[in-house]
Amino acid sequence: MKAAIYCRLSKEDEYKIGESESIQNQKSMLIQYAIEKGFDIYQIYSDEDYSGIDRNRPAFNSMIQAASEHKFDVVLAKTQSRFTRDMELVEKYLHGKFIEWGIRFIAVVDHVDTNDTANKKSRQINGLINEWYLEDLSTNVRSVLDHKRKEGLFIGSFARYGYCKDPNAKGKLIIDPEAAEVVRRIFSMALSGIGAHKIARILNDEKVPSPTAYKQQHGIHYHIAAKNPNADLWSSPTVYQMLHNQLYAGDMVQGRHKKVSYKSEKTIWLPQSQWIVVENTHEAIIDRGTFETVQMMLKERTRSGGKGTIHPLAKKVVCGCCGSYMEQTGRQPKADGTQRRYVRCRMHQRAPEVCGNKTCTDMNALENAVLERIRAYVADYFDPEKVTLPEQDDPIQQREHAKRDELKRLKSEVDRRRKAVQELYLDKVSGLIDTVQFSEMNQTFLEDVKNAETRINILEAELEQQQEETSVVQTQMQRVRELAQVSHLTRELAVLLVHRVVVGTKDPLTGEQKITIEWNF
C-alpha cells in the first residue's frame, strides 16, 4: 500500500508548551511508522506557517488532488489536528470523500483510523475540540493584540511609509528621514491647493519611488497583490489616504478593520468611531496645526482645475440671488499676457427663468477683495498694540486667576491638615487625648484632606486643558498672521477663514455690485 505523509506547522503551535511539533519531528515519526506498517511512501507533503483552519494550504490541496486521482491508499498525520482543525473538513474528507476514494486516514498519536468504524464518534469529538481550541486561541490572540493597540504599540508587519520600526524598542516607530521628507512635501503641496491627482503625477514625473517600490528597494520583503500592476507608481488614492492618516501627526491609529471570523480571511472595515487611536505615541512628521488644516481642506475638497490646482475660492462663491454656487467661466487674455477669469451663477446658466443674475464677476478682483479684508481683520484683531481690552476685565482671564488662587489655597490647606494630623498623633502618644478622640478628629482631618485633593485634581485638569486650548489658539493666530502676509489668496487661507462669498447682482445704473464675505470666525 502507498502512503502519503502530511505534516503541518503554524504559529499557533508557539502557544504549546513542552511539545515538539517541528516539521522534522513529524516527518521522522511518520516515516518510522510507515516502515513499521510496511507502507510504501508515495510523497511527503508539508505546510509551514499555515493554520489548521486554513483551506488554502498548498501542500494540503496538492495531497487532496492526488487522493482524488487514487495515487495512494493511506494518509498519515501525527494528529488529526495536523490534518485540519476545521470540523467541516473532518466530515467532508474523513467521513466522506476518503471513503468514496478508498483512502484510509491514520493519525498516529491520536489513534485515529478511519478503518475502525467504532471510533467515528471519537474522531468527531476530536474535530470539535480542535475547532474549539482554535476559536479560543483566536479570541485570546485578538484580546492580546487589542491590549497592545490600546497601549499605543505598533503591531503591524510593516511600518507605514515615512516610518520604520525602532530596532531598540518593540512596538515603537521612528522616523525614516528619506521617506518622511516626501511625506512633508505631499502635505506642503496639499496646503498650496494642489489636488491628490496632480501630486501623484508630480511624484511620478520626478520618478520618486512609491511606498511599495520604496519598501522593495530597501530590502523589505513586502509583497503586493498581482492584480495591481501599477503598484510601483504613485496614485491619487495613495496620496489621499496619506493626507488623511493621523499617524503622521504622531498618533497611533490601528484596528481600522477586522476579520469576519477566525475561519475566514475576509476582512471588513470598521467605522472611524471604533478605531483604536492613541495620541502622541511617536515623533510626528507633520505638525498638528498643519495636519488639521489639511483635514479642513480635504473636507471642502472640490475638483481641481486644468492645471491640477484647486481654486482658492472653489465652492465658496455663491449667488446672492438664488444661493447656487458660482462657477468659473472662460478666460480672457489681458494686455500684459495674463488671463482675466470670471465666475457666474450656475443656476442662471441652466435655468435663466429661476435666477436672473446674469452678471459675470471678475475672479481676480474677488480674490483681492477677500485678501484685503483678511489683512484688515488680522491687523485689527491680532495686533497686540491694538488690543485695548484690559486683562482684569477679560472673563476668561478672571476665571483662570480665580482657579489658580483657589488651587494655591487648597494646597496650603492640605499641608496644614497633614501637619495637624501629625500633631494630633503626638498628642495621643503623650496622653493629652484618648484613642476615641484621636480617631474622631483624625477621621475628620482625613476627609477634609481627601475632599481638598479631589478639588485640586479637578482644578489642575481644568487649568491644563485651558492652557492647551490657549496654546492652540495662539498657534492658529500665528499661522493666520503668517498666511496674511502672502501676496495672493491661497486655498489654505480661504479654507481656514472664509465660509462663503455672496455675490449680488450689479446695479444697472451705478454698476456697483454687493459682495458679502461670511467668515468662519
Side-chain angles (χ1 to χ4, degrees), residues 189-236:
M189 286 191 282
L191 277 176
S192 66
I194 300 177
H197 182 74
K198 185 175 181 182
I199 291 174
R201 191 167 70 242
I202 291 172
L203 296 174
N204 286 328
D205 290 344
E206 296 179 4
K207 301 192 182 308
V208 176
S210 70
T212 298
Y214 182 82
K215 286 185 176 72
Q216 293 172 341
Q217 288 176 11
H218 286 72
I220 300 174
H221 300 295
Y222 183 75
H223 301 286
I224 57 170
K227 63 182 180 181
N228 186 4
N230 298 319
D232 288 344
L233 298 176
W234 287 91
S235 64
S236 52

Side-chain angles (χ1 to χ4, degrees), residues 396-461:
I396 296 178
Q397 292 287 347
Q398 285 182 341
R399 286 196 296 271
E400 182 179 350
H401 288 320
K403 288 178 181 179
R404 293 193 183 280
D405 289 342
E406 183 183 359
L407 184 63
K408 183 178 179 180
R409 179 181 60 77
L410 287 171
K411 286 184 175 180
S412 177
E413 182 68 23
V414 168
D415 289 339
R416 287 199 303 271
R417 291 289 182 180
R418 291 192 184 281
K419 289 179 181 178
V421 170
Q422 294 174 358
E423 293 173 357
L424 188 66
Y425 178 75
L426 293 175
D427 289 344
K428 174 181 176 296
V429 172
S430 302
L432 296 177
I433 60 174
D434 59 28
T435 303
V436 175
Q437 288 176 314
F438 171 78
S439 178
E440 291 176 352
M441 296 175 69
N442 183 56
Q443 184 65 30
T444 301
F445 284 157
L446 291 178
E447 287 180 0
D448 290 343
V449 169
K450 182 179 178 181
N451 293 334
E453 287 180 337
T454 300
R455 179 59 180 165
I456 286 171
N457 291 334
I458 293 173
L459 288 171
E460 287 180 339

